[in-house]
Amino acid sequence: MNISPEQLPYAGLVPMFIPVFLIINFILLILLIFAKKKILVLPLAAILIGWKFIGVTLQFNNDSTDEKGLSVLSYNAHMFSYEKYKANDPKVVPNIFNWIREQDVDIMGFQEFYQDYTTPARNAIKQISNEGKYNYSAQSVEEKSGRRFFGLAIFTKHPIINEGKIFDNRKTNGAMFIDITVNKDTIRVYNVHLESMSIPADQLDNIDGIKENYRKTWRRLNRGMVNRAKQVTVLTDHIKNSPYPVILMGDFNDVPYSYTYFTVRSILENTFETIGNGFGFTFNKVLFFLRIDNIFYSDQLTPIRFNTLREVDYSDHYPIEAVFQLNPLIKAVPQPLDTDQ
């Protein structure tokens, strides 16, 4: 968890076994309690050692408030199903755009954002900005002759006063930010898509597929973890230098027990941990038990709701949404006592 995969190869794979470790010890504890064996202290000690991982796995918070606030949506949109629709009638608008336009959200961040200037029905910027309802910033990590590009985008109802790209790998991943004004406050909003896990999920849905691909999958997982460790260092250094409170959203491509997660968690709070419910799984494929999409925030902000929208299945990820208290949006920062008086 605290050891970078850059320093110790394959160390980043160890946290992936933490849920299994906890489940086994919970089962052992229950069995030993019924058997009235003193050895139950061993699984109990193991559970206590791993206690902090339970909070990033499962939450039971009350977010029933109907209070309005600053709403945020993060969605790996999987190119807006472009591959699925490109062979069909170009006049047909994918349903995903209809769903997005129905959301009355203050800030929307998209990963795997695909922009096609050649076809109005698939012009994502035009479709989502909804005739000027939203301001936007889009950052390309791969572009094709100015006609199409793939990357990241943030749409917001609020004025954008600054924007920029933090990094990209000129393939599929990257990180960007915008500064927006909300009433009299300024907030920096980050949207990230970290290095992919590269898990061939479709090839791991049966025993033969697992036998054939497990070595390749472990190598890909390790390579991805090393690259994410490099990226998260650049990202957190940038966040530490932000002059404004921060909202960080995106597809982190890493589990909540990883070096990546806890590196970000060391400087920001996580909305799922603060106000979420259940397991919050966000992956919409055979490995359904992964929570790899997150919304983090500075402690000057106060989240009042968080949800994983599991009913929305246009992509291989589920969208996640959070709402932050608007009045006041930013907490007063306590001033140090003047000891000279």
Side-chain angles (χ1 to χ4, degrees):
M1 180 189 71
N2 294 320
I3 301 174
S4 171
E6 293 180 276
Q7 300 171 349
L8 187 60
Y10 291 94
L13 298 176
V14 175
M16 298 189 69
F17 295 98
I18 288 175
V20 177
F21 169 84
L22 289 172
I23 290 170
I24 290 173
N25 279 281
F26 268 117
I27 294 172
L28 284 174
L29 178 62
I30 293 170
L31 292 175
L32 291 171
I33 287 174
F34 281 108
K36 298 181 180 180
K37 299 290 186 180
K38 293 182 179 179
I39 199 173
L40 65 83
V41 297
L42 294 180
L44 178 60
I47 291 170
L48 292 176
I49 290 172
W51 187 257
K52 68 177 178 179
F53 298 112
I54 296 175
V56 302
T57 304
L58 180 64
Q59 286 290 336
F60 299 98
N61 292 298
N62 180 12
D63 64 347
S64 59
T65 177
D66 293 327
E67 180 183 347
K68 301 294 184 181
L70 182 72
S71 51
V72 178
L73 175 77
S74 178
Y75 196 9
N76 181 325
H78 197 51
M79 299 174 65
F80 303 109
S81 302
Y82 178 77
E83 293 296 327
K84 178 180 178 181
Y85 285 95
K86 69 179 182 180
N88 297 339
D89 184 348
K91 295 180 181 179
V92 175
V93 180
N95 288 334
I96 187 171
F97 288 136
N98 295 333
W99 179 83
I100 291 169
R101 283 197 299 269
E102 290 172 358
Q103 309 311 301
D104 188 23
V105 183
D106 292 295
I107 305 167
M108 297 186 288
F110 297 98
Q111 307 87 45
E112 294 194 21
F113 181 86
Y114 191 81
Q115 170 63 17
D116 184 350
Y117 290 106
T118 67
T119 308
R122 298 191 186 115
N123 186 325
I125 290 175
K126 181 178 179 180
Q127 293 286 346
I128 298 173
S129 60
N130 201 2
E131 298 182 354
K133 181 179 179 180
Y134 286 92
N135 303 306
Y136 71 90
S137 174
Q139 298 290 343
S140 167
V141 296
E142 183 181 13
E143 191 159 351
K144 297 181 180 179
S145 305
R147 294 163 60 85
R148 303 178 181 88
F149 75 80
F150 177 93
L152 298 155
I154 305 175
F155 291 76
T156 177
K157 294 179 181 179
H158 300 279
I160 299 174
I161 60 174
N162 189 23
E163 61 184 313
K165 181 186 292 186
I166 303 167
F167 67 80
D168 67 65
N169 66 0
R170 302 197 178 280
K171 186 179 179 182
T172 58
N173 309 110
M176 64 174 292
F177 76 93
I178 61 172
D179 294 336
I180 62 172
T181 56
V182 182
N183 298 331
K184 296 181 180 180
D185 297 311
T186 303
I187 295 177
R188 176 159 291 180
V189 180
Y190 289 88
N191 184 20
V192 303
H193 186 200
L194 300 188
E195 187 75 21
S196 175
M197 284 181 134
S198 299
I199 298 175
D202 296 336
Q203 301 172 22
L204 300 175
D205 57 356
N206 58 67
I207 297 298
D208 291 336
I210 293 172
K211 288 179 179 178
E212 184 178 343
N213 292 282
Y214 80 93
R215 285 193 180 92
K216 184 188 297 183
T217 300
W218 283 122
R219 287 195 296 269
R220 287 179 174 179
L221 283 171
N222 184 65
R223 184 167 60 247
M225 288 175 180
V226 170
N227 288 334
R228 285 192 296 276
K230 297 175 182 177
Q231 292 172 346
V232 79
T233 298
V234 176
L235 175 63
T236 52
D237 284 347
H238 197 283
I239 292 172
K240 289 174 185 176
N241 290 314
S242 171
Y244 311 116
V246 163
I247 294 174
L248 165 64
M249 71 178 84
D251 175 4
F252 291 78
N253 270 315
D254 226 332
V255 293
Y257 322 103
S258 63
Y259 175 81
T260 299
Y261 186 91
F262 276 95
T263 298
V264 176
R265 186 63 180 79
S266 68
I267 61 172
L268 297 174
E269 305 293 328
N270 185 274
T271 49
F272 169 78
E273 292 184 53
T274 305
I275 201 69
N277 277 294
F279 291 99
F281 299 143
T282 65
F283 198 53
N284 185 21
K285 275 195 173 182
V286 64
L287 301 176
F288 66 91
F289 48 82
L290 298 178
R291 182 168 71 85
I292 56 179
D293 302 85
N294 291 281
I295 299 174
F296 291 90
Y297 64 97
S298 298
D299 58 8
Q300 297 105 306
L301 304 172
T302 303
I304 54 177
R305 283 199 302 281
F306 175 84
N307 290 294
T308 302
L309 305 178
R310 293 180 60 84
E311 69 278 10
V312 182
D313 61 353
Y314 299 113
S315 168
D316 56 354
H317 291 245
Y318 297 115
I320 55 176
E321 63 175 3
V323 178
F324 294 88
Q325 180 177 290
L326 195 56
N327 295 311
L329 176 61
I330 298 175
K331 301 175 189 173
V333 179
Q335 298 299 315
L337 295 175
D338 187 350
T339 58
D340 295 332
Q341 291 184 356

